[in-house]
Amino acid sequence: MHPAYSVIFFTTASGAGYGLLIWMAIAGTLGVVPPHWGIGFAGLGLALALITAGLLSSTFHLGRPERSWRAFSQWRSSWLSREGVLAVATYAPAGLLGISWVFFENLSGIVVVFAIGTVILSLCTVWATGMIYASLPPIRSWHQPWTAPVYVGLALASGGVLFHVILAASTGVTWWTAGLAVALVVVAFILKTMWWQTVDGAKRSLTVESATGLGRFGKVGMIEAPHSRPNFVMREMGYHVARKHAKKLRTVATYLIFLVPPICLLLLPMLSTLVALPVALTAAVSAGAGLLVERWLFFAEADHAVMLFYGADKA
Amino acid sequence: MTMLPETTERKLGLVIDLDTCVGCQACATSCKEWNTGGYSAPLSDQDPYGADPHGAWLNRIHAYEVDDGAEGRTVHFPRSCLHCETPACVTVCPTGASYKRDEDGIVLVNPDTCIGCKLCSWACPYGAREYDYAHGVMKKCTLCVDRIYNEHLAEEDRIPACVRACPTGARHFGDLGDPNSDVSQLVAERGGYDLLPEMNYKPVNKYLPPRPKRNSATSTQSYTAPPPAKTDGSVTERLFAWADQMLSR
């Protein structure tokens, strides 16, 4: 599958944004961070900026971005539409939470309801993002039960890393939040490992023989393509640039997302504020870069069944 | 709109005979010609006279080599939208631009509301949907919805352009929901099959398999050479006949 850069940026940025939103909402209402306006402004501001930038960038790959408002209409059948509706709906409780926190420094009473709404809608939005991919039967590696959990897991893990950047810059980091953030990175690692194992272990039972229905007569091979140059279908579905480096890139992504950030997070409680901030930023940059690689691979490694008609041996 | 109808009154579709298709591309060019001026207009091309020409076509004809050696054969394989009964291309559409018609089951894209997100093309295992780079929307086979009901056309022309153009009668159009229709009977008689039934999209279009290849083992007629022409009895003919006999010794 062709990796649309706007979609890669959107899913990683908005995923981390929703993750941070969830961390902020919970930490704020539980009193892990004080209801100081500056913390609310930095944390919620960063989260909403990432989400908004992601949502805007996702419209860049559209042929007709000016019509994108229409995408809110088909929530009854389409996960893409559901994602859009949920993403916009999340702004309401998140906005109210932000106003209470930044302008009134109040995180109790009705604000708890805003926070709960923010958490639930954020989780649903990221789940919907994952389901867009999981609901496509022609792409075997995406159409599996671990896809949506991986999206949620990575959102919470990357959000946790960003949350600790905020903490490192303000109140300082305690052992237990750092420990929780590391635990979520580990959970995300387990989910992504399960996903990779499912992809690698899948029985790729579709062949050009079964797709054309001509296998009953013998081996099938394409001798003449319908067109002399790649068409849209081949450009979009037949992308496999740098796929031969997939193994290496998986290792790179694993180190950047699942190894470097936890090490940094565990160091944070021991460091002075002056040192903690660059270490927290290192974790965030590493996780961000790793997620971009992971998301790029998610597309580039995915085989689409239509390529069987163009002579792909298996799907 | 993107919710699928539970049933459709008719199931209009194509039956494609892989036995008689000769891969002449007449259906593809006729399709492009009709549709670039019809419902799907424009069907744009990019770099048409350059080094990397490509464009939106609604019908693509592959050629496969099947088996090899004495049993080998070439099968030409037209590929277009199968107007599935339960297609994910429709349900994934976020805008409602993709829809399946209640009355005849035709799957269409509304070019005025499509946002060109391309998700439907990802959802189609048959590669039936192509993005129009100039128009910014998705294009697909309309089963020539602007021909088949068009009373301005002569009755024999109220069939999809590809079917009308096929010189070998390899394409048939009709109601596959009616077991008594010509197309349904053809499918029953020839063992018509679905492409990628594993996807569970329930394609309406059917493919007729190539007929068994004739060889010495399967041929029902045995070949015998016709008897030699009789001589007219003239002296010259008898001379040649005598010479033939002598030389054959």
Side-chain angles (χ1 to χ4, degrees), chain A residues 119-156:
Chain A
V119 171
I120 292 172
L121 285 172
S122 298
L123 286 173
C124 291
T125 307
V126 181
W127 183 266
T129 305
M131 284 308 294
I132 293 172
Y133 305 102
S135 66
L136 300 170
I139 305 163
R140 189 186 292 279
S141 59
W142 296 356
H143 188 57
Q144 55 140 305
W146 295 106
T147 299
V150 164
Y151 271 80
V152 174
L154 288 172
L156 291 174

Side-chain angles (χ1 to χ4, degrees), chain A residues 10-68:
Chain A
F10 158 60
T11 56
T12 48
S14 73
Y18 285 114
L20 178 57
L21 206 52
I22 293 166
W23 274 85
M24 286 296 293
I26 294 174
T29 42
L30 293 183
V32 178
V33 288
H36 185 276
W37 73 269
I39 295 176
F41 181 77
L44 295 178
L46 177 61
L48 291 173
L50 283 169
I51 292 166
T52 308
L55 286 174
L56 287 177
S57 100
S58 75
T59 64
F60 294 164
H61 87 289
L62 300 179
R64 294 279 178 164
E66 76 279 10
R67 297 176 181 170
S68 49

Side-chain angles (χ1 to χ4, degrees), chain B residues 126-158:
Chain B
Y126 309 106
R129 288 167 172 255
E130 298 202 6
Y131 179 66
D132 189 318
Y133 288 91
H135 200 184
V137 300
M138 299 306 297
K139 299 290 168 73
K140 69 176 293 300
C141 164
T142 66
L143 215 58
C144 283
V145 69
D146 46 1
R147 282 179 71 100
I148 58 177
Y149 298 114
N150 191 338
E151 293 184 359
H152 297 289
L153 298 178
E155 200 163 337
E156 63 268 29
D157 287 328
R158 288 179 214 159

